[in-house]
Amino acid sequence: MTATDWSTPGAASGVPAGRIVEPSDPTLLTEDDHTAGVARVRGDASLPPNTPEGLGSDQPLADLQPVGVLGVLDGGFAMLRFRFGRLVGLTALVLLPVITGELLVVLRFPQPDAADPLTTPSSLEFLAASSSSTGWGLLFALFGAVSLTWVGIAVGQTARAWADGTDPTWGEMVKAAARRWWVAPVLGLVTVTIKTTASCLFGVGFFLADALLFIAAVVAGGEHLGPFASVGRSVGLTRRVYGRALGICVGGMFITTVLQSVVLVGPLLFATSFGVSGTAEKLISQAAGLILLVTTPLTACIAARAWVDFRCRLEGTDLDVRAVACGLA
């Protein structure tokens, strides 16, 4: 027992005045003291990180807290690295048929002079397709937008599961997203319509609108909302931190643009240097377009990390989780 000879106001029942008793000595606590309870967490104690069981300390959503723009971008890369094979495989499930279909069209019909939407950064596919002289560009751009939306829904559901301490398998990720397949085309069409309409505003409206809508797909998956409710929820979160949302959106777009441009330009320069043209050149271009299997889930992961950050910043989600972990709620 540790005791100190000084008096305190309102000494505990059963304890002589002038003595402080350590709670670790239960022999000096009366029945009234036990019923009153003993505090186990100091009010000024730092909250431990909430590490979901079974996922390891490298889990990208282990320690939920608000981060800056660079933190969100880095967190998107961390999410992609954490389950790289599953996320790329999930993307390939919906994007490979689209890439294959476009390859068949490219080989069957003359290639237009306009940019190829499927080998353009995913956030800008409709801007590229708008210059196409045929309807094929717009059609494949639409397929690409729906595919990106479906991947975003799947990543949103996965991010929610990681935050709750579970790690869905690839099959569970596919089944969860497949059950809400109808959300992807509707949500994709709604967001594309808004962004392409806004693109008429001095050439920058597309980016301004994209900053409000870029988390809509992960919201649909993470919060199990319908397409229109997801758009409203996305705008409701991003407009309150619009500057931060715009920085994340533009930063993510810049990263994927540079990555795709480097991968696409390299093979084409190689083909040009050796005088390759015709069908071989088209095949090389389409093969380089497979980088979308990486940049598409990366875009979705950045959006998912932004969604988590906005919820922590605006709604205190991280505080609620930590309070539950500490037994305070």
Side-chain angles (χ1 to χ4, degrees), residues 295-319:
T295 57
T296 297
L298 174 60
T299 300
C301 286
I302 292 175
R305 188 62 186 88
W307 167 63
V308 172
D309 179 77
F310 297 159
R311 293 194 65 199
C312 291
R313 191 176 299 276
L314 299 175
E315 301 173 347
T317 303
D318 56 328
L319 301 180

Side-chain angles (χ1 to χ4, degrees), residues 122-173:
S122 53
S123 298
L124 304 175
E125 69 272 2
F126 266 83
L127 295 185
S130 62
S131 60
S132 176
S133 59
T134 68
W136 288 112
L138 289 174
L139 179 62
F140 284 112
L142 178 60
F143 286 155
V146 173
S147 300
L148 178 61
T149 302
W150 190 84
V151 172
I153 293 173
V155 170
Q157 293 173 330
T158 304
R160 180 63 176 266
W162 288 349
D164 291 340
T166 59
D167 188 19
T169 64
W170 185 83
E172 291 172 341
M173 293 167 61

Side-chain angles (χ1 to χ4, degrees), residues 42-90:
R42 287 174 53 88
D44 59 350
S46 59
L47 293 174
N50 175 39
T51 304
E53 298 179 1
L55 296 180
S57 58
D58 61 335
Q59 202 270 99
L61 299 181
D63 187 13
L64 295 181
Q65 60 179 324
V67 295
V69 172
L70 295 180
V72 169
L73 297 177
D74 185 65
F77 277 96
M79 291 180 64
L80 179 63
R81 289 195 305 267
F82 183 63
R83 292 293 182 259
F84 182 82
R86 296 183 193 178
L87 294 176
V88 171
L90 181 77

Side-chain angles (χ1 to χ4, degrees), residues 45 73 126 174 178 259 288 290-291 315:
L73 297 177
F126 266 83
V174 172
L259 182 59
L290 292 175
I291 187 61
E315 301 173 347

Side-chain angles (χ1 to χ4, degrees), residues 25-312:
D25 190 353
T27 60
L28 297 180
L29 297 178
T30 66
E31 182 178 354
D32 293 336
D33 296 322
H34 284 292
T35 57
V38 178
R40 295 184 177 274
V41 180
R42 287 174 53 88
D44 59 350
S46 59
L47 293 174
N50 175 39
T51 304
E53 298 179 1
L55 296 180
S57 58
D58 61 335
Q59 202 270 99
L61 299 181
D63 187 13
L64 295 181
Q65 60 179 324
V67 295
V69 172
L70 295 180
V72 169
L73 297 177
D74 185 65
F77 277 96
M79 291 180 64
L80 179 63
R81 289 195 305 267
F82 183 63
R83 292 293 182 259
F84 182 82
R86 296 183 193 178
L87 294 176
V88 171
L90 181 77
T91 306
L93 184 67
V94 293
L95 206 56
L96 275 182
V98 180
I99 294 176
T100 303
E102 189 197 27
L103 175 60
L104 296 177
V105 171
V106 168
L107 295 177
R108 176 65 178 82
F109 300 100
Q111 180 74 9
D113 296 332
D116 180 4
L118 275 189
T119 55
T120 302
S122 53
S123 298
L124 304 175
E125 69 272 2
F126 266 83
L127 295 185
S130 62
S131 60
S132 176
S133 59
T134 68
W136 288 112
L138 289 174
L139 179 62
F140 284 112
L142 178 60
F143 286 155
V146 173
S147 300
L148 178 61
T149 302
W150 190 84
V151 172
I153 293 173
V155 170
Q157 293 173 330
T158 304
R160 180 63 176 266
W162 288 349
D164 291 340
T166 59
D167 188 19
T169 64
W170 185 83
E172 291 172 341
M173 293 167 61
V174 172
K175 289 180 182 178
R179 283 195 293 266
R180 312 195 68 231
W181 63 270
W182 61 275
V183 177
V186 178
L187 180 58
L189 182 61
V190 170
T191 55
V192 162
T193 301
I194 294 174
K195 289 188 288 186
T196 51
T197 302
S199 65
C200 301
L201 179 64
F202 306 111
V204 298
F206 178 91
F207 303 96
L208 299 178
D210 196 29
L212 293 171
L213 302 172
F214 78 106
I215 65 171
V218 297
V219 166
E223 301 187 25
H224 303 288
L225 299 178
F228 297 101
S230 298
V231 170
R233 173 67 167 162
S234 176
V235 173
L237 286 174
T238 53
R239 67 180 178 82
R240 297 165 63 184
V241 287
Y242 185 75
R244 188 178 302 274
L246 183 61
I248 295 171
C249 183
V250 173
M253 192 178 301
F254 175 78
I255 291 172
T256 55
T257 299
V258 170
L259 182 59
Q260 289 184 203
S261 298
V262 169
V263 174
L264 292 173
V265 170
L268 291 179
L269 289 178
F270 177 82
T272 303
S273 300
F274 286 89
V276 178
S277 60
T279 302
E281 183 181 6
K282 295 176 182 178
L283 290 174
I284 293 175
S285 176
Q286 293 302 115
L290 292 175
I291 187 61
L292 288 173
L293 298 180
V294 176
T295 57
T296 297
L298 174 60
T299 300
C301 286
I302 292 175
R305 188 62 186 88
W307 167 63
V308 172
D309 179 77
F310 297 159
R311 293 194 65 199
C312 291

